[in-house]
Every structure is written in structure tokens, then in C-alpha cells.
Amino acid sequence: AMEIITYEIRQSDELYSPTSLFGSHPSQLSLKTTTDSPQGEKITYVDFYLCGDRLCLKKEGVPPSILTPANTIVTKLIFEQIATSSPSIEATIRLETKQAQRPQDQASIELSSAVSFRKK
């Protein structure tokens, strides 16, 4: 999931602010890109958001896809614009096992990555 997030940010031209939520609800990221635009279109949009307790990716013209496995839940998803020499986004995601039967089967991981847009 983190590899896909970083790839899509890197391939994007800019943040699409009207649907990206920062501040008190930082768990949606919308990107504007010219990569893989639908036929006849010059730009397209890519969205990351929580659908229930899973991470979803929505590309224009394609049904949403779930990026996290069924046996995990997303307990943290934060996207933040960060100040660097080029426009950048820091993405943080925390995944935990879902309803593990035994304590030794419980696990969690938190990943964070800062990524710059390829343009601008």
C-alpha cells in the first residue's frame, strides 16, 4: 500500500486541494496527474481514502480498488503537505491484524514516507 501511495504521488503533478482533507480530517489525498489519463482527457485524478477500515485507491474512470488485505485494518492514515524545496506530501499509515485469535498472531506496523511531486 505504501509503495503504491509513494508511486502515485511521485507520478502526480500536484495536490488537488478541493478534495484533499488536511487539518482535523487528514485521511484523504487527491492528486492531479497527466499520467494514465482517460482517452480524450488531458488530466485525471487519483484519490486515496479510507473505505471502512481499509485503504482504497480510486482512479478516474475505474472502479475503486482496496489496497490493504482483508485480515488487516487501517488504524491510522494521515496525509500532510510538508515544506521542502519542492512540493511534497508525507504519508503515514498504520495497519493492525484484524481479530487475531491468539496474542502471538497480533501485529501492527506504522510506515511513513515523504514524497515529492515529479513536476513543479
Side-chain angles (χ1 to χ4, degrees):
M2 184 58 84
E3 285 180 26
I4 293 169
I5 291 169
T6 58
Y7 173 83
E8 292 295 342
I9 294 171
R10 194 171 289 114
Q11 295 302 311
S12 294
D13 300 303
E14 62 185 275
L15 175 71
Y16 185 65
S17 297
T19 57
S20 290
L21 304 173
F22 293 104
S24 60
H25 301 286
S27 61
Q28 180 170 340
L29 179 66
S30 296
L31 304 167
K32 189 175 177 181
T33 183
T34 54
T35 304
D36 299 326
S37 298
Q39 188 173 8
E41 301 288 331
K42 292 183 181 179
I43 60 167
T44 190
Y45 301 92
V46 175
D47 298 294
F48 291 96
Y49 57 94
L50 285 176
C51 39
D53 56 8
R54 314 253 318 262
L55 176 64
C56 286
L57 165 66
K58 173 73 175 100
K59 292 186 175 188
E60 201 169 346
V62 179
S65 57
I66 298 173
L67 301 179
T68 51
N71 65 343
T72 63
I73 58 172
V74 177
T75 58
K76 183 182 201 179
L77 180 64
I78 299 174
F79 298 105
E80 295 180 275
Q81 279 187 284
I82 54 175
T84 63
S85 59
S86 63
S88 302
I89 300 289
E90 181 175 38
T92 302
I93 186 169
R94 180 179 177 84
L95 300 171
E96 296 182 9
T97 53
K98 187 177 190 176
Q99 300 175 345
Q101 299 292 328
R102 304 175 306 171
Q104 62 266 35
D105 294 336
Q106 291 183 317
S108 66
I109 187 169
E110 184 168 314
L111 303 168
S112 186
S113 183
V115 186
S116 297
F117 293 106
R118 79 178 160 162
K119 294 184 180 175
K120 290 198 174 192

